[in-house]
Every structure is written in C-alpha cells, then in structure tokens.
Amino acid sequence: MLDLKLIREDPEGVLERLRRRDPTLSLDELLAQDKRRRELLVQVERLKQQRNRASDEIAELKRQGRDASAEIAQMQEVARRVRELDQELKACEADIERLLVVLPNLPHPSVPVSQRKEDKVLLREWGRKPELGFKPRNHVELGRALGILDFERAARIAGAQFPMHVGLGARLEWALLSLMIDMNVREHGYTLVLPPYLANPTSLFVAGNLPKFGDQLYRCESDDLYLIPTAEVSLANLHRGEILSESDLPLRYAAYSACFRREAGTYGAGERGLIRVHQFNKVELFKFTTAETSYDELDSMVQDAERILQRLGLHYRVMLLPSGDIAQQSAKTVDIEVWLPAQEAYYEVSSCSNCEDYQARGGNVRYRTEEGRIRFVHTLNGSGLATPRLMVAILESFQQEDGSVVVPPALRPYLGGVEAIR
RNA sequence: GGAAGGGUGGCUGAGAGGUCGAAAGCGCCCGACUCGAAAUCGGGUAGGCGGGCCAAAACCCGCCUCGUGGGUUCAAAUCCCACCCCUUCCGCCA
C-alpha cells in the first residue's frame, strides 16, 4: 500500500502520479477521513491521559488505605466516553484502510505515461526470427502429433485450459525447470525455495492480489486458503513482519511452483493450447533490497531472465510497460516477450517488476540501516521463467519440416542426451 | 480429528490486577582499562501512531502495542470468552 503520510503531505503530487495509471482515481475521501482520524485521535488521547493519571492517583490512595470512590465515579464517565470515541476511531480507520489498499503503486518517472498497453517501449531485441522455410505448425498440432501434449484427456480430468505433458513432453518441461533452477541458483546467485502452493488471505493482500483481483484466484473455501497465482505471493510474505539487517540485503530467492489462475474473462481468440492456461509451472525470482539499489537489481533481474532465453537460443525482445498496464503493486515493469512463429507474434514470458516499498509496507518488511534507522525494504519480482510459452516457443521455433523438433543443446543433458523429439 | 502445554523485546526467559513497556541473562552499540585485542567494569539498547513546529533531522510531550479480536474493571501482559499459531502425545493417512 501507499504511504499515507506522503499522501497527506503532497496530495497533488501523489494524485498526479496516480492518474498516470488511472485518470479516474481520487484522494478526496481518503484525505477527509485522514483529517477526521487525527482529530479523533487528539480527543481520545487527551481523555486517556486523564484516565491514566487518575488511575495512578487511585492506586496511590488505595495504597495509603484511603477512600477513592469519588475519583472512581468520575472515571466511570471518562471510561464510557473513551469507549465511544474508540469505536468511532476504529470505524474511521477501517474506512482509511479500505480506501488506501485499492490505490495502486506510483509509477516510476521512467515509465511511459499511457493508458494504452500498445504504448510499451522497445528496449532491446536479441536473436532473430527463425527462418523455417516452410509453413510453421502450431504447438498444439505438433504436441498432439508427437504425443507429448494431451489437452483432451486433461480436460477429462480438470476441464478446458489445463495442460498435460506426457512422455518426452513431460521430460522436456522438467528439463526446462531444471535448467532454470540451475542457472538461477548456480550462475545468478539466488537461493532456491519450494514454497507452499496455498496461501491465506493476508498473504494475498500483501502481494497485491486482493482485494481487487480476487476473481482471478482459485479459492478453497472450507479452509479460507487460495491457490497461489504465482510464487511471488509466497515469496513476498517470506519475511513478513520482520526487521532485517542492512548487511543481509539484497536477499535473492528463486522459487519453483505450480501457478493457478482462473483467467476469468480472458478467453482470447486464438489463445489455444499452452498460450493461456489455468495451471502452469514457473520459476519465480524475488529480491528484497534497499531503496538505493532496487533499480540496479531490477536491471540485473531482467538480465538473469534474458540469459535463460539466450541459452535456449530463443528470439525475444524486452519491453518497458506503460503506466496503465503495470500490476497494482508495481512501480515499473519490464516484460520479456518471446517470438512464437505460428502465432506470428511476441508473447510475454517474463514480467519483472520493482514494487519499491509498496508490498513491504503492506507486509511490514523493514530493515535496519548501518546507522540504526528503520526503513521499508524494496521488493522485486520477476519470472525466470514461466514454462508454457517457452514450450510453445521451443516446439514452434525448432520444428523441422518432417514434424520433429530439435531439442536445444542446453536441455539435452537433462533429457539423457535426446537430440530431437520425433 | 482427540488430549495437554504454550505464544512476552534481536534471542533465552521472569512477571499471575495498580509502583510493568516489562526482571535477569545473552547479543549488539558507546565509553573506561590496553600498544591493540580478549577478559573486566560503567552506560545505552523494542516498535507504531499523534502532537509540539510542519521542510526534513534531532529533541520534547502524549497515546497504543506482551499471538489476534472482543469482554470485565476507575485500572489488564496478568481475569473471562472466541479465534489463530506453535510444541508434545494419541488416532488416522501419504
């Protein structure tokens, strides 16, 4: 969530930045409630002070064995008034909380201002589109023909848009995950985490998924738990409520998890097969940093994700997202998009965000500086990477005219040396 | 699922209606001793909110916080209720 003090001190500045993301946002009610809260606080605190002093006096009188009934009678009235004001204050604070949590993070100055998601900015490209010399088959056809993807039987088990990998398809998926874990742990210095796949409501509020995006989540009602849409949820809550030491930062975690998304209302034309699914595998990168280093850490996180695509030999481009298209909790987001030959389009395979102190404030994750001051950490998250579209990219980019698919050399050690799927 | 015990500062742990934001120890910081260090000795060491002053920092004052939320009381870490979590044992099951 945003810093209420900052909103109070510079409402125009905050509102201007908020409206880069959503021109309909307003702070009027929030500011009014905040003012009211502070007025109530002053009132109720004055009464409590009176009560505390009287309590000391009553205690002293009793110790001396003297009568305190006059003072006690007087305090009964004060206590009643305190209860009333406390209730009013509580309602006011609940209103503030409700208004505050729906406000998105402030975009970083480098983020292009636009409500149109097409207005993303190309930062760089790597490689080139593969020249197959024949009309590319899409991954659904390839997967079915090779017997490595089985959506029909998966639907029998769970419904549409659930993938099922079989045989070399499953092994290829596993190989991808193994490669990503190895590179991120051994070459990029992340600590591997296997987190819970279910999370409580608090965790989803901290991560930024609730309250606004609950319709995208699978919920286990009888236990009041949610299936995580990304391991970002688990990792953002890993140090919830802690005060870390500056010397421990940055903390870099890489988590493997399955991810679950309802994708309500997103049935896109042509998004068949693995392009948009309700369940997928992902290695998620997450960092806790100081304010000073978080943007350098964002750059290096994007590069960590890019190196995996480079190792696989997949053509991609890196895009800076505009203000209207970044996630609630993010101040700046960089997407990596891989080229999918049969779709003839670039598709997101990684989304790296700096959430600055937005998640940290909600989760109360702080650190003590060398000088002893306490500040909120910055949190960053990024896919490194999600597998479904990687699988699409591999099948479609490395397909041969005879319908076989050449396995990228980097994956072969994980597949017992298999060079092609046919 | 059943039973018992327990959640107190960075950590261990005492406190069982008022003098308790909280003993003691450890850790950490500062100082003394020392050429320097260790040991020793002295001092300091939780967080949040609000106000004084709004431009920050420092300082001062007040309020709140002993798992969370309610209740009793003039007054709650302490008594009552509900919930959450942890530990141990039993049962069940990968």
Side-chain angles (χ1 to χ4, degrees):
Chain A
M1 65 177 83
L2 292 179
D3 182 5
L4 186 54
K5 276 187 196 156
L6 179 68
I7 295 174
R8 185 189 303 152
E9 281 161 16
D10 182 20
E12 293 85 9
V14 170
L15 186 61
E16 189 277 318
R17 290 176 73 188
L18 280 173
R19 285 187 168 165
R20 293 181 202 172
R21 301 190 49 148
D22 180 353
T24 67
L25 290 171
S26 162
L27 295 173
D28 296 344
E29 197 187 345
L30 182 61
L31 288 167
Q33 291 289 352
D34 175 54
K35 186 156 178 286
R36 183 156 164 269
R37 169 175 173 265
R38 283 177 295 143
E39 288 165 0
L40 283 169
L41 252 188
V42 170
Q43 276 186 59
V44 75
E45 283 187 0
R46 194 176 299 142
L47 285 174
K48 283 180 177 175
Q49 180 179 7
Q50 196 183 331
R51 183 184 68 184
N52 290 343
R53 293 208 171 134
S55 276
D56 287 345
E57 284 165 25
I58 290 167
E60 182 58 32
L61 285 173
K62 294 225 166 181
R63 223 171 288 126
Q64 294 173 2
R66 292 162 60 191
D67 175 56
S69 50
E71 287 74 9
I72 287 175
Q74 207 180 347
M75 282 308 108
Q76 281 172 339
E77 171 59 21
V78 171
R80 218 201 69 243
R81 184 79 187 120
V82 164
R83 265 195 291 276
E84 281 173 15
L85 281 173
D86 260 341
Q87 250 174 18
E88 220 174 311
L89 187 64
K90 233 181 142 177
C92 182
E93 285 175 344
D95 283 337
I96 289 171
E97 173 83 2
R98 179 177 55 77
L99 293 164
L100 195 55
V101 294
V102 296
L103 295 177
N105 203 353
L106 305 177
H108 187 265
S110 64
V111 172
V113 178
S114 170
Q115 303 314 303
R116 292 162 24 92
K117 63 180 179 193
E118 295 77 19
D119 288 338
K120 53 193 172 186
V121 173
L122 176 67
L123 296 180
R124 57 186 171 272
E125 288 183 273
W126 186 90
R128 48 174 54 174
K129 298 171 188 170
E131 292 177 17
L132 296 172
F134 57 93
K135 185 175 184 306
R137 278 160 293 232
N138 72 45
H139 73 281
V140 180
E141 292 172 52
L142 287 163
R144 186 181 291 130
L146 293 167
I148 59 174
L149 292 174
D150 193 339
F151 289 99
E152 289 76 12
R153 291 193 178 91
R156 184 184 290 161
I157 300 164
Q161 309 294 296
F162 282 88
M164 184 156 65
H165 303 74
V166 179
L168 273 176
R171 295 182 65 196
L172 184 60
E173 175 84 359
W174 212 248
L176 272 170
L177 293 166
S178 300
L179 173 71
M180 294 190 292
I181 288 170
D182 282 352
M183 286 182 69
N184 285 320
V185 170
R186 293 216 280 247
E187 300 174 30
H188 302 156
Y190 293 80
T191 300
L192 183 63
V193 175
L194 297 175
Y197 295 175
L198 294 167
N200 55 34
T202 302
S203 299
L204 286 137
F205 274 101
V206 168
N209 302 81
L210 288 176
K212 279 170 86 175
F213 307 100
D215 60 342
Q216 295 303 324
L217 301 170
Y218 287 102
R219 179 162 178 231
C220 307
E221 195 168 355
S222 54
D223 297 288
D224 202 16
L225 291 168
Y226 295 83
L227 283 162
I228 56 172
T230 159
E232 175 194 350
V233 172
S234 314
L235 294 174
N237 285 276
L238 190 70
H239 291 294
R240 194 169 78 211
E242 295 183 29
I243 300 178
L244 306 166
S245 168
E246 180 167 11
S247 57
D248 294 335
L249 302 178
L251 287 167
R252 302 188 178 94
Y253 295 107
Y256 159 76
S257 86
C259 304
F260 304 90
R261 301 185 182 180
R262 295 187 60 232
E263 300 293 355
T266 62
Y267 256 96
E271 293 194 331
R272 302 253 62 98
L274 289 172
I275 305 261
R276 190 176 295 279
V277 280
H278 291 313
Q279 177 192 320
F280 59 94
N281 294 308
K282 178 157 63 69
V283 173
E284 178 76 0
L285 306 178
F286 201 96
K287 298 181 181 181
F288 296 88
T289 78
T290 65
E292 288 74 25
T293 60
S294 67
Y295 279 94
D296 290 339
E297 292 288 344
L298 178 63
D299 289 342
S300 72
M301 180 180 271
V302 174
Q303 285 165 30
D304 292 337
E306 284 181 66
R307 262 193 289 274
I308 289 164
L309 292 170
Q310 292 168 9
R311 190 75 55 92
L312 292 169
L314 293 170
H315 168 54
Y316 67 85
R317 64 181 192 180
V318 181
M319 311 298 289
L320 175 60
L321 296 194
S323 54
D325 197 33
I326 56 183
Q328 169 92 357
Q329 63 271 24
S330 173
K332 179 174 182 174
T333 297
V334 174
D335 273 9
I336 301 174
E337 299 180 341
V338 73
W339 176 254
L340 301 185
Q343 329 295 317
E344 295 187 72
Y346 292 94
Y347 272 82
E348 175 203 325
V349 283
S350 178
S351 195
C352 299
S353 298
N354 186 354
C355 297
E356 298 189 358
D357 61 7
Y358 187 94
Q359 284 176 329
R361 183 170 292 106
N364 207 20
V365 186
R366 296 171 291 174
Y367 69 101
R368 205 180 294 275
T369 65
E370 309 288 357
E371 308 83 53
R373 287 175 50 78
I374 289 177
R375 304 168 66 190
F376 288 110
V377 300
H378 279 198
T379 60
L380 296 87
N381 67 84
S383 344
L385 306 152
T387 55
R389 291 174 185 174
L390 278 189
M391 181 70 82
V392 177
I394 288 170
L395 294 180
E396 294 183 1
S397 300
F398 302 135
Q399 63 179 298
Q400 308 299 303
E401 194 153 18
D402 64 3
S404 65
V405 173
V406 173
V407 174
L411 293 176
R412 291 176 195 169
Y414 299 100
L415 287 168
V418 170
E419 292 180 8
I421 301 172
R422 54 183 90 244

